[in-house]
């Protein structure tokens, strides 16, 4: 089945579908069906693996902790002695230096946090609840039986799956693997992502601007977003003019080297026919108008084996379409499973919002704590899709769903924070 006919099928299942206005969620779902994660793997030392995706389960070779040990500084005793009042101190157990003799009734051992519970003890009384004089410990109140003991295997048990394939390794995970004495992990290879900008008006940094020309900023925002996302081998292919042969050459080159190709510009009405013909020749690509703002035009498909995303040229639209469509797809292609949902947080917006119902808007917002410590959001000024400053000032998107219309000041809205926005 071709990509276009598969899209047609998706569309025909939707009674009220407007072909000129594909809902955001539909577009995401459509793209997802063509994605399959990378399979090549590599073994990395633990410290180099943060942010990478596990390619095999990590299984615990030992119990963590390996012994029952004390959760407090205090005195280890047997629970039958909790009401004994006073006990004779027969020694000390340190973390890493156990007390080796067996503790009998009427006796106790001074114990430090993390020290192995001495034989004959099962309870620890906190130091602060005791008084010590002449080698005798007096309990100011009776401890609960079995109190303040951490048990062997309480954190992890031998043979237990500690982290599953598809897990993106975070600092806590790296520490957890280290706590098992494991120094290397198997991860998927990085995803190769190539991108280039298209447009006759674009000039690269270092060259003077001619009349009507602008500096290419999209390659820099794309680079930054890919780097913040992590786990990507980034291939910056430069600027390509709006010339069919140059674009074709670049697409062929990129598709032979990368898993994913991102372009910016050239997919809006008026320009799209040109790219459409080219992409029809080189692969299978569908062009959409998404029911969203900013970022209405979007193309997705395959060029050879590579996934192709044709992003709009406007600097804000590039970022919004990257975050809303490409990000999710890249995480999936990297092997991350499940791809985590981004939290949508509900906060009050201190200013009124202008919004057309029938499309999803991703307005740029500034999350801030008011003097009472309550988090609120304020839209950045001009929301034009060419105003990159609005993205630079923002630390979140205010996500306004299809149903939402104009909102008065103080209304509750949903906000979303992406990697690299804080
Ligand atoms: P397009 O989608 O190619 O019609 O471009 C839409 C708008 O975005 C135009 O104003 C372009 O000049 C601008 N634009 C396109 N590509 C870039 C880029 N790489 N950097 C900055 N602005 C761009
Ligand atoms: Mg253009």
């Amino acid at each position: 089945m071709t990509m276009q006919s598969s899209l047609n099928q998706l569309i025909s299942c939707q009674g009220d579908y407007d072909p000129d206005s594909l809902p955001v969620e539909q577009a995401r779902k459509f793209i997802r069906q063509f994605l399959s994660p990378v399979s090549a793997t590599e073994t990395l030392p633990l410290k180099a693996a943060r942010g990478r995706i596990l390619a095999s389960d990590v299984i615990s070779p030992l119990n963590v902790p390996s012994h029952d040990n004390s959760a407090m500084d205090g005195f280890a005793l047997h629970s039958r002695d909790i009401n004994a009042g006073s006990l004779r101190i027969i020694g000390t157990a340190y973390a890493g230096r156990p007390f080796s003799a067996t503790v009998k009734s009427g006796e106790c051992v001074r114990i430090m946090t993390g020290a192995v519970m001495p034989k004959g003890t099962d309870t620890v009384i906190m130091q602060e609840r005791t008084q010590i004089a002449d080698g005798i410990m007096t309990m100011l109140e009776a401890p609960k039986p079995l109190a303040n003991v951490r048990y062997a295997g309480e954190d992890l048990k031998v043979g237990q799956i500690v982290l599953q394939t598809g897990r993106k390794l975070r600092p806590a995970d790296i520490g957890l693997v280290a706590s098992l004495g494991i120094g290397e992990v198997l991860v998927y290879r990085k995803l190769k992502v190539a991108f280039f900008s298209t447009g006759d008006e674009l000039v690269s940094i270092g060259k003077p601007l001619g009349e009507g020309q602008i500096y290419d900023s999209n390659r820099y925002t794309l680079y930054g977003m890919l780097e913040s996302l992590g786990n990507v081998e980034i291939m910056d292919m430069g600027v390509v003019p709006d010339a069919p042969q140059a674009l074709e050459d670049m697409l062929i080159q990129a598709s032979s080297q990368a898993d994913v190709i991102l372009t910016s510009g050239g997919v809006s009405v008026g320009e799209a026919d040109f790219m459409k013909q080219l992409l029809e020749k080189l692969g299978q690509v569908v062009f959409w108008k998404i029911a969203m703002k900013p970022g209405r035009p979007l193309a997705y498909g395959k060029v050879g084996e590579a996934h192709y995303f044709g992003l709009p040229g406007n600097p804000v639209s590039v970022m919004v379409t990257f975050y809303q469509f490409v990000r999710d797809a890249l995480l999936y292609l990297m092997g991350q499973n499940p791809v985590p949902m981004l939290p949508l947080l509900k906060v009050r917006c201190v200013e009124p919002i202008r919004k057309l119902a029938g499309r999803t808007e991703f307005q740029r917002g500034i999350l801030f704590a008011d003097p009472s410590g309550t988090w609120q959001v304020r839209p950045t000024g001009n929301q034009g899709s060419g105003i990159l400053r609005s993205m630079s000032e923002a630390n979140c998107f205010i996500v306004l769903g299809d149903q939402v219309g104009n909102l008065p000041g103080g209304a509750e809205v949903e906000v979303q924070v992406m990697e690299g926005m804080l």
Side-chain angles (χ1 to χ4, degrees):
M1 187 161 57
T2 66
M3 198 168 283
Q4 187 62 53
S5 61
S6 152
L7 178 65
N8 293 344
Q9 197 175 53
L10 178 88
I11 290 166
S12 62
C13 300
Q14 306 257 207
D16 55 352
Y17 174 77
D18 171 3
D20 247 3
S21 205
L22 189 65
V24 171
E25 206 38 59
Q26 289 291 327
R28 270 198 204 116
K29 235 161 106 183
F30 177 80
I31 293 169
R32 183 59 79 87
Q33 65 183 321
F34 296 100
L35 307 176
S36 42
V38 293
S39 51
T41 60
E42 57 182 318
T43 300
L44 288 181
L46 206 44
K47 275 190 196 158
R50 194 202 56 79
R52 303 295 297 270
I53 314 294
L54 266 185
S56 68
D57 294 346
V58 173
I59 298 186
S60 182
L62 39 87
N63 280 323
V64 179
S66 54
H67 295 91
D68 295 353
N69 67 84
S70 177
M72 294 281 174
D73 288 345
F75 293 86
L77 54 128
H78 195 281
S79 48
R80 69 176 169 265
D81 283 345
I82 55 176
N83 293 311
S86 295
L87 298 170
R88 196 162 63 83
I89 306 168
I90 61 166
T92 304
Y94 297 95
R97 256 196 293 150
F99 177 81
S100 50
T102 301
V103 179
K104 296 193 277 296
S105 191
E107 296 175 345
C108 68
V109 167
R110 190 169 155 72
I111 193 163
M112 306 300 162
T113 305
V116 174
M117 291 295 288
K119 282 192 278 298
T121 69
D122 61 9
T123 301
V124 172
I125 181 167
M126 276 172 80
Q127 188 163 291
E128 291 81 349
R129 307 266 156 83
T130 64
Q131 260 175 5
I132 301 134
D134 301 329
I136 301 292
M137 182 277 290
T138 302
M139 296 179 262
L140 301 179
E141 63 187 76
K144 291 205 172 68
L146 315 183
N148 301 321
V149 178
R150 300 189 291 214
Y151 292 102
E154 182 179 281
D155 194 351
L156 302 168
K157 288 193 172 52
V158 177
Q160 182 182 336
I161 295 179
V162 178
L163 295 171
Q164 275 182 327
T165 303
R167 171 87 172 189
K168 183 174 208 157
L169 292 167
R170 301 169 305 146
D173 304 326
I174 299 287
L176 197 60
V177 175
S179 76
L180 304 174
I182 297 173
E184 287 181 335
V185 282
L186 190 71
V187 298
Y188 291 115
R189 72 158 167 83
K190 285 187 177 177
L191 201 64
K192 295 177 196 152
V193 181
F195 58 83
F196 57 92
S197 296
T198 72
D200 287 336
E201 76 281 27
L202 301 176
V203 175
S204 292
I205 295 174
K207 294 186 193 138
L209 286 183
E211 202 182 330
Q213 293 186 316
I214 56 170
Y215 285 116
D216 172 11
S217 58
N218 288 345
R219 270 163 51 229
Y220 290 83
T221 42
L222 281 172
Y223 185 90
M225 289 188 291
L226 288 167
E227 218 183 20
S228 302
L229 191 65
N231 206 22
V232 173
E233 198 178 310
I234 302 173
M235 306 159 101
D236 181 348
M237 317 286 278
V239 177
V240 180
D242 293 311
Q245 192 58 53
L247 283 167
E248 179 170 347
D249 293 348
M250 186 58 92
L251 281 167
I252 290 170
Q253 191 194 336
S255 70
S256 69
Q257 297 175 5
D259 301 303
V260 180
I261 305 169
L262 309 177
T263 62
S264 75
V267 293
S268 53
V269 184
E271 291 195 301
D273 286 349
F274 179 70
M275 279 297 258
K276 230 177 187 160
Q277 279 172 16
L278 185 57
L279 289 161
E280 262 161 22
K281 184 173 149 194
L282 297 178
Q284 285 194 55
V285 176
V286 287
F287 282 73
W288 289 313
K289 292 197 188 91
I290 309 279
M292 69 188 274
K293 189 188 171 197
R296 217 160 123 65
L298 180 74
Y300 166 75
K302 300 281 295 264
V303 176
E305 287 304 301
H307 298 271
Y308 168 79
F309 289 87
L311 308 180
N314 272 312
V316 178
S317 307
V318 163
M319 298 195 74
V320 172
T321 46
F322 177 92
Y323 280 132
Q324 298 304 327
F325 299 104
V326 182
R327 174 189 177 278
D328 186 82
L330 294 185
L331 293 177
Y332 189 80
L333 288 170
M334 284 172 198
Q336 188 167 0
N337 185 21
V339 172
M341 294 245 300
L342 272 171
L344 274 177
L345 310 174
K346 285 198 164 81
V347 295
R348 284 192 195 291
C349 182
V350 293
E351 286 173 22
I353 283 187
R354 287 168 58 93
K355 154 80 169 56
L356 263 183
R359 67 186 184 200
T360 304
E361 290 195 15
F362 299 91
Q363 297 200 5
R364 274 73 70 210
I366 301 170
L367 266 174
F368 67 98
D370 70 13
S372 75
T374 305
W375 285 88
Q376 309 207 33
V377 71
R378 171 179 354 110
T380 60
N382 191 329
Q383 295 285 323
S385 60
I387 314 281
L388 191 52
R389 188 164 52 82
S390 78
M391 263 316 294
S392 172
E393 284 171 4
N395 59 10
C396 70
F397 286 117
I398 303 172
V399 184
L400 305 160
D402 292 5
Q403 317 295 328
V404 178
N406 287 335
L407 293 174
E412 194 173 68
V413 293
E414 290 182 318
V415 301
Q416 191 175 54
V417 178
M418 300 290 193
E419 297 89 4
M421 284 183 103
L422 283 177

